[in-house]
Amino acid sequence: MGDGDAVEIDGGIMEGGGQILRVSTALSCLLKKPLRVKNIRAGRSQPGLRPQHLSGLEMVQHLCDGQLEGGKIGSTEITFIPGKIKGGTHVADTKTAGSVCLLMQVAMPCVLFAESPSELRLKGGTNAEMAPQIDYTVMVFKPIVEKFSLTLDCEIKRRGYYPKGGGEVIVRMPPVRQLSPVNLTDRGTVTKIHGRAFVAGALPIKLAKDMSSAAVRCIRKEIRDLYVNIQAVQEPEKEAFGSGSGIIIVAETSTGCLLAGSSLGKRGKSSDKVGIEAAEMLLGNLRHGGAVDDYLQDQLIIFMALANGVSRVKTGPITLHTQTAIHFAELLTKAKFTVTKSEDEESSKDAYIIECQGTGMLNANLSFLLY
């Protein structure tokens, strides 16, 4: 493999997990830069590639006709040489409860710069620990990321839970010529709080109702003047594989910001605790005065780096995931990020502004449309 000029990445620094792999693989693919990542997930209890990381890598390899070396479970070093990004249908199956949302994170930036529309068929866990729930992706991530002038259609075919997975999501995206920068600095006032508490499989609907009422009680202590509507849902049998439960609560603001809190049920954890956990996460996200919540921060970094112009996003305390995404986005692209403490009166002392001079990546595959 002609990788003499490969960008060398140390996968063990900072957050030290799969995220480094996702950000650097996507950018390698977009910039056509060969990549070598070593010390993959060095700090994790099971170091090296897990099934979800490997299926994400293989999908990117497939969608750009790239070459991948070291692509096997447990591998701590990979070399990736990207080719040309093509549209069409791409399938990734973790064959576990590995998160479909994380598969989406690695593939999405790539297919935006394909030559034709793409369909990603992603199989695995839809509501899994240590990853965004698919409901978060649809209810929060999608409407906000579309502000970069892209279109994301996400169809949940079947939900899948830990430990079996078995879920399937279909993502459809047309290519873009270029991404627009965003300005997400004005939080506005909270106008609406809604959500869904779900059970699937063998679990009784009472659990969902208990999660919902515990969450509502918790929110009411702090926010008294808003109607809080959290539906309790039993997932239809055909649309869920295995048993699972959880909750997501979303706050909408007067300026169109969306902030969330979520939690998953598991054996030995009371429904009340699940509901309260999600409510407290939401309230924490509302307290810092940021225009995005703590889970959206890092997911926006790659789009800010690619956009044409200056993006500004107001956040709460900068997470390690976000610092990591910024580090690798700057390393691989010419984007420049600055993080400053937010000085305005409304914000708490924990609010920050992430500013990025994006690179204005152009879709070379679409250039013929201009002539």
Side-chain angles (χ1 to χ4, degrees), residues 11 13 15-25 37 39-44 48-50 52-54 57 102 105-106 321 324:
I13 64 168
E15 192 272 330
Q19 186 210 15
I20 294 176
L21 205 58
R22 288 189 290 278
V23 172
S24 48
T25 308
V37 188
N39 299 329
I40 294 171
R41 298 180 69 257
R44 296 300 193 252
L49 295 176
R50 306 301 309 139
Q52 107 183 2
H53 308 109
L54 183 55
L57 276 175
L102 296 179
Q105 275 182 27
V106 65
H321 266 107
T324 306

Side-chain angles (χ1 to χ4, degrees), residues 127-205:
N127 299 76
E129 288 283 0
M130 306 299 293
Q133 295 191 45
I134 191 65
D135 307 85
Y136 181 89
T137 302
V138 172
M139 294 163 79
V140 178
F141 175 77
K142 170 187 151 70
I144 302 294
V145 83
E146 287 188 330
K147 294 179 192 283
F148 287 96
S149 306
L150 59 93
T151 309
L152 166 62
D153 177 48
C154 187
E155 182 192 346
I156 305 170
K157 286 290 236 197
R158 193 170 55 247
R159 291 167 178 272
Y161 311 95
Y162 182 80
K164 288 190 188 134
E168 183 177 5
V169 171
I170 298 178
V171 176
R172 297 181 186 88
M173 296 184 85
V176 295
R177 170 88 183 122
Q178 201 170 36
L179 295 174
S180 309
V182 299
N183 187 345
L184 300 168
T185 51
D186 181 7
R187 221 281 294 283
T189 54
V190 178
T191 52
K192 185 177 170 191
I193 296 178
H194 61 102
R196 76 193 296 271
F198 67 86
V199 289
L203 301 174
I205 188 76

Side-chain angles (χ1 to χ4, degrees), residues 23-178:
V23 172
S24 48
T25 308
L27 289 172
S28 153
C29 173
L30 287 165
L31 300 163
K32 299 194 164 50
K33 284 186 181 173
L35 181 72
R36 185 182 293 115
V37 188
K38 50 183 203 302
N39 299 329
I40 294 171
R41 298 180 69 257
R44 296 300 193 252
S45 56
Q46 290 183 297
L49 295 176
R50 306 301 309 139
Q52 107 183 2
H53 308 109
L54 183 55
S55 44
L57 276 175
E58 288 171 343
M59 177 167 52
V60 173
Q61 176 195 3
H62 178 258
L63 64 81
C64 75
D65 276 333
Q67 297 169 271
L68 178 65
E69 251 180 34
K72 51 181 193 294
I73 306 283
S75 171
T76 55
E77 186 171 323
I78 59 118
T79 304
F80 175 64
I81 299 178
K84 184 182 177 181
I85 304 172
K86 51 188 205 284
T89 301
H90 305 287
V91 181
D93 185 354
T94 65
K95 301 192 170 58
T96 63
S99 165
V100 295
C101 303
L102 296 179
L103 290 175
M104 212 163 130
Q105 275 182 27
V106 65
M108 226 179 96
C110 304
V111 297
L112 282 173
F113 292 89
E115 57 196 344
S116 58
S118 302
E119 181 177 282
L120 306 172
R121 291 183 164 259
L122 311 174
K123 298 176 183 180
T126 57
N127 299 76
E129 288 283 0
M130 306 299 293
Q133 295 191 45
I134 191 65
D135 307 85
Y136 181 89
T137 302
V138 172
M139 294 163 79
V140 178
F141 175 77
K142 170 187 151 70
I144 302 294
V145 83
E146 287 188 330
K147 294 179 192 283
F148 287 96
S149 306
L150 59 93
T151 309
L152 166 62
D153 177 48
C154 187
E155 182 192 346
I156 305 170
K157 286 290 236 197
R158 193 170 55 247
R159 291 167 178 272
Y161 311 95
Y162 182 80
K164 288 190 188 134
E168 183 177 5
V169 171
I170 298 178
V171 176
R172 297 181 186 88
M173 296 184 85
V176 295
R177 170 88 183 122
Q178 201 170 36

